[in-house]
């Protein structure tokens, strides 16, 4: 690898590709595969996002990928959806706070690593989301999670929201574990005296149609958890994905799916025999922006 | 630490406690806290289980903890429930197979680390579970996940099943991400021509009652994921757990809840100020059996 | 796995062996291999110890293994040797201190994770070791590291010292990185006005004789670093070890030897084709005491 | 973070700095600190390099940093020195090989992760290095490791060699664990019938002078091991470094120095109170090229 002044991100990634080994080699392969998958009109991209990636600064990057038509299906956690909405309602994610966790609690702050949230922002979130839930409940009593998120996306006004752009662009968002989040908690509060059922099973009819209609699928898996499993498992009925990239810090030895090698997915027919599988071990907030910058540059050439 | 022939597990853990530092110190503190929590009649134990812990050999250990009244609430993944049922229906978990993932797929085997499953066992599972789903659907059209698992537990005959013993002993099982599993897939298949809605929100009414009725709560968190988050978040409304133990290999630096230090839960009022929090970094299939053996020996004294 | 009251450590490990998968399976295999290697009179055991294992509470365990003739060669860091001597000279390792690192420094305490040391103990160490260095320098001007440690072992009076028991039992200690430690620093101070050369190369003549004389070698590798590399590389000229166990938390993906899979050693002829290689991912202060207790029980049967 | 086409590496790092949290925030801080340290004429940079960083593609990057006067002291492993020389003597590091480790051994290939070496290259290395050792032994019988590496650097002809450029530029290279490497092995072979003593202690006199002459020191620590410890410990006598950056995948919980938080160094006076300390958790072959590209761009502005 040679590193000079004023390299573009892709220049750097290409140097990593010349070395071609260890982490540098994997970043290069992942970036190329991501760009190839975007460029290939026959390939649908399933992006799974676990971990605090909206609080961690990836909101705009994900927004732009959807806006540019580079993502076909988004699968994420209730937490990322909640944090997208917190920002849409005027709240934020803060940093540079120095206090221990008991003090934070006294001052109405919650901590996610070195990201901080304010309870006031969640109060605004509660107020705003309960209005939205009322409007949704007026329209439907049983709603799939995907539709539910689509309805929310349509009802908010923030032009930077992942939910909103996904609704506008017709990119479905799946969140199989949505109930286990602040949004899930609000839903519970709401349903203590009103009726609104989330139909998790309902999503699967639609998602299976998407899978069957896709000529090829590349799964881009940021972190593990339900989003990773759901992204891969939804491709099971069609023999698995054609390609996959995962970025994770989880280990494989415990047997957990979150850290499992992508090869393991082949045994379950969640990845096809011969599929192109690249794992990058690293922090998503570092690796994914790099991959996106590199892939965008490849595409723009 | 001194290690001799014929030490009991507790003897060894006590030696670790004499050293009192690094991993050995943490195992000792965790075991003592677990035993104290079991012995204290005012303490309810919430056990969360993520990762392939039934395939990984913990089925009997979890069964016995429930059978002995040592666990008050179980929170786990759809996968562990599926694997409990696979064993109940005569299937198994296999080892010592030597083949690559593409060959495994051809031979109808799925891999979880070094644990192997047979597609035949899943076929039996499909057949049996569809009969059960039919019976449940005859009784109810909308059912909470906890009730759904209770019904299944009551309908199976295997005397070694976690689901069955939990049903018998009245220990509720929560599985907020159940849809994202083989059981979830069967549910989807079933609902293509029949009606049965899982009501994830429904669980929260009941669970909040359990939390409010508990004088004290100790959370025992095996792995991260939804089970960890749900176990802690369900205690939010009452100001957090009084004590918690987590066993994990996930890292804290990515910000993901799975690897988050327990102290972070204090900022969110998911753990009380002054609560007793012990993290052991290690493989659950090693650490938890050790802790259970040690805690049982403390209790039996 | 079944876990009951009053299990011996070996009972628990045998339950892990019945499961036979993930971490539990690896602990079972490692314990059996360790016991078999001890029992086999044709097998020499090379024990490498990296990381703060004397501060971490393993001093007595290593002492006893040497005293019982279960270890043939010990390879460790200058730090572990320093800490063995600190204890021999009346110093200690402390715990339960609550202060930040800048405060610790002001109060003359050094931190290793949650283990604390006192600068006073290092002052005593300096005084005592300089007397010993003077005595050694009177006898020899150029000395191999192994001989140097043998001389120190012979000159100290502490009946619990690893250095002393190794000297008494004729177990050689190698410490290829010894210079990079407090003991190395003292050696430098001493040689500012006196003459004493450590001959690192000198060890290799002797060590190669040990390797060639051994019928079979099992390497037991606690942590990585120089001790792991040296233990394996010393067996290179004879085609590699016959068996190896490693216990580590380091990852393989970075390419560093510390986290490298043992299989990689086969490509370098540091492990023989067909050799029995077991890796346990975990904290050495938990896993090794467990393995030793289990192996001792197997041997005592 | 916003990611567009044709961003420079620094543009991307600045976006990471705007987010400022989790891994992205750490990369931004580390890059800024690295650039500031290079630009500050009063600051000496101690670069420690552990792990297979020459095989991993960092050779040219390290070469250029030395050539440009951006590194004042290099501390590395015997392995990296060996691999630098292997390349200087016409050998290489290979990739894309598909064979198991026993087959690799039969075909004369050694593996380091996904990097491959050829035994033929090591044979050439042996021949060439023995000539160099002869020449050095003619000049000196006892030589410090730093001088030894300086002599080798002067005797080789490869214009891309780290050893050569360091010798030309007067940048000292320390390798306290040099004996534990292929180069160490050759030294042993050589001294079976000739005389040449490496004086590890000898380096410390000189290194302490460098430390005392430096107005300020920033340690840049790639990986852990002896290089990290030596870099920090050499600053002990002057109260510690003024700033440090570490890039590592090792964990802190085992207590090993390799994964220890930099703050711990404050307790030992290896880092000054108030020193600027940044840890990035990640693969060095990804993170360091990125940091170097970013820092070069800051400097060039």
């Amino acid at each position: 690898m040679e590193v000079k002044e004023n390299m573009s991100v892709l220049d750097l990634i290409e140097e990593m590709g010349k070395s071609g080994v260890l982490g540098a080699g994997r970043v290069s392969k992942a970036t190329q595969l991501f760009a190839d998958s975007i460029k290939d009109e026959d390939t649908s991209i399933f992006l799974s996002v676990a971990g605090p990636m909206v609080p961690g600064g990836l909101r705009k990057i994900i927004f732009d990928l959807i806006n540019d038509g580079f993502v076909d299906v988004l699968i994420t956690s209730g937490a990322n959806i909640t944090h997208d909405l917190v920002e849409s309602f005027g709240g934020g994610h803060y940093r540079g706070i120095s206090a221990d966790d008991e003090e934070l609690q006294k001052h109405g702050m919650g901590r996610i690593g070195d990201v901080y949230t304010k309870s006031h922002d969640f109060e605004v979130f509660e107020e705003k989301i309960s209005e939205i839930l009322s409007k949704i409940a007026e329209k439907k009593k049983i709603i799939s999670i995907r539709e539910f998120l689509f309805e929310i996306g349509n009802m908010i006004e923030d032009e930077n929201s992942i939910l909103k752009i996904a609704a506008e662009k017709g990119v479905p968002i799946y969140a199989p574990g949505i109930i286990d989040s602040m949004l899930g908690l609000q839903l519970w509060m709401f349903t203590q005296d009103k009726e609104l059922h989330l139909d998790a099973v309902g999503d699967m009819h639609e998602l299976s149609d998407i899978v069957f209609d896709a000529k090829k699928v590349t799964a881009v898996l940021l972190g593990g958890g339900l989003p990773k499993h759901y992204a891969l498992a939804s491709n099971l009925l069609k023999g698995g994905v054609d390609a996959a990239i995962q970025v994770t810090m989880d280990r494989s030895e415990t047997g957990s799916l979150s850290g499992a090698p992508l090869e393991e997915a082949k045994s379950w027919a969640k990845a096809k025999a011969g599929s192109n599988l690249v794992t990058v071990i690293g922090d998503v907030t570092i690796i994914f922006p790099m991959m996106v910058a590199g892939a965008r540059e490849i595409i723009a050439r």
Side-chain angles (χ1 to χ4, degrees), chain A:
Chain A
M1 281 183 261
E2 183 165 7
V3 170
K4 292 183 257 187
E5 289 105 50
N6 299 320
M7 299 178 91
S8 76
V9 176
L10 184 58
D11 292 338
L12 179 63
I13 292 172
E14 285 177 343
E15 286 300 313
M16 291 184 178
K18 285 182 201 163
S19 162
V21 295
L22 302 179
R26 289 178 214 122
V27 164
S28 162
K29 288 183 197 90
T31 303
Q32 191 62 53
L33 174 55
F34 189 35
D36 290 346
S37 299
I38 291 171
K39 285 196 293 185
D40 180 10
E41 299 205 346
D42 289 345
T43 293
S44 297
I45 293 186
F46 283 42
L47 176 66
S48 79
V49 181
M53 294 301 102
V54 169
L58 296 193
R59 191 185 191 222
K60 175 72 173 147
I61 293 172
I62 296 167
F63 177 97
D64 287 339
L65 290 172
I66 295 171
N67 196 22
D68 292 341
F70 293 171
V71 165
D72 297 282
V73 172
L74 177 65
I75 303 158
T76 190
S77 62
N80 278 315
I81 289 164
T82 299
H83 287 282
D84 184 59
L85 289 170
V86 164
E87 295 205 11
S88 292
F89 300 150
H93 295 95
Y94 309 93
R95 54 175 159 135
I97 315 290
S98 180
D100 81 13
D101 290 295
E102 298 194 3
E103 286 173 53
L104 287 172
Q105 211 283 317
K106 280 182 209 156
H107 292 85
M109 306 203 78
R111 184 168 73 86
I112 305 166
D114 60 355
V115 184
Y116 299 85
T117 63
K118 289 188 186 163
S119 58
H120 173 73
D121 292 346
F122 282 105
E123 287 158 21
V124 174
F125 166 77
E126 285 174 35
E127 191 191 323
K128 300 280 188 185
I129 199 70
S130 72
E131 293 168 21
I132 289 175
L133 294 178
S134 294
K135 287 185 205 159
I136 294 173
E138 281 166 27
K139 295 168 72 173
K140 289 212 168 190
K141 297 298 168 213
I142 297 186
I143 189 166
S144 76
I145 297 171
R146 200 275 308 154
E147 269 185 285
F148 175 69
L149 297 174
F150 175 77
E151 292 290 348
I152 297 175
N154 275 330
M155 288 178 190
I156 58 178
E157 280 162 27
D158 174 21
E159 293 304 322
N160 300 310
S161 162
I162 292 172
L163 285 186
K164 186 170 187 63
I165 193 71
E168 280 177 20
K169 295 286 174 176
V171 171
I173 302 180
Y174 298 97
I178 194 171
I179 205 65
D180 181 40
S181 69
M182 287 296 197
L183 179 52
L185 192 70
Q186 291 309 312
L187 196 64
W188 168 58
M189 305 277 218
F190 180 80
T191 57
Q192 287 191 311
D193 51 14
K194 301 201 189 76
E195 201 182 347
L196 181 59
H197 292 288
L198 280 197
D199 178 21
V201 174
D203 286 331
M204 300 175 77
H205 302 281
E206 187 187 89
L207 183 52
S208 71
D209 288 346
I210 294 174
V211 169
F212 277 103
D213 288 348
K215 289 189 187 154
K216 286 185 278 180
V217 171
T218 293
V220 178
L221 309 164
L222 308 182
L226 256 72
K228 174 182 174 183
H229 186 263
Y230 200 78
L232 292 174
S234 63
N235 282 276
L236 175 63
L237 297 174
K238 209 186 164 191
V241 297
D242 299 272
I245 298 161
Q246 74 175 341
V247 183
T248 184
M249 287 285 255
D250 293 341
R251 297 191 69 126
S252 63
E253 293 89 351
T254 63
S256 283
L257 183 81
S258 290
L262 288 170
E263 282 66 26
E264 199 176 285
K266 290 180 175 176
S267 74
W268 296 96
K270 293 174 186 168
K272 292 204 175 90
S275 52
N276 188 359
L277 305 174
V278 184
T279 293
V280 183
I281 303 299
D283 188 302
V284 173
T285 66
I286 303 170
I287 305 297
F288 192 58
M290 205 173 172
M291 276 174 53
V292 172
R296 284 186 173 280
E297 201 170 335
I298 292 172
I299 293 162
R301 274 184 182 173

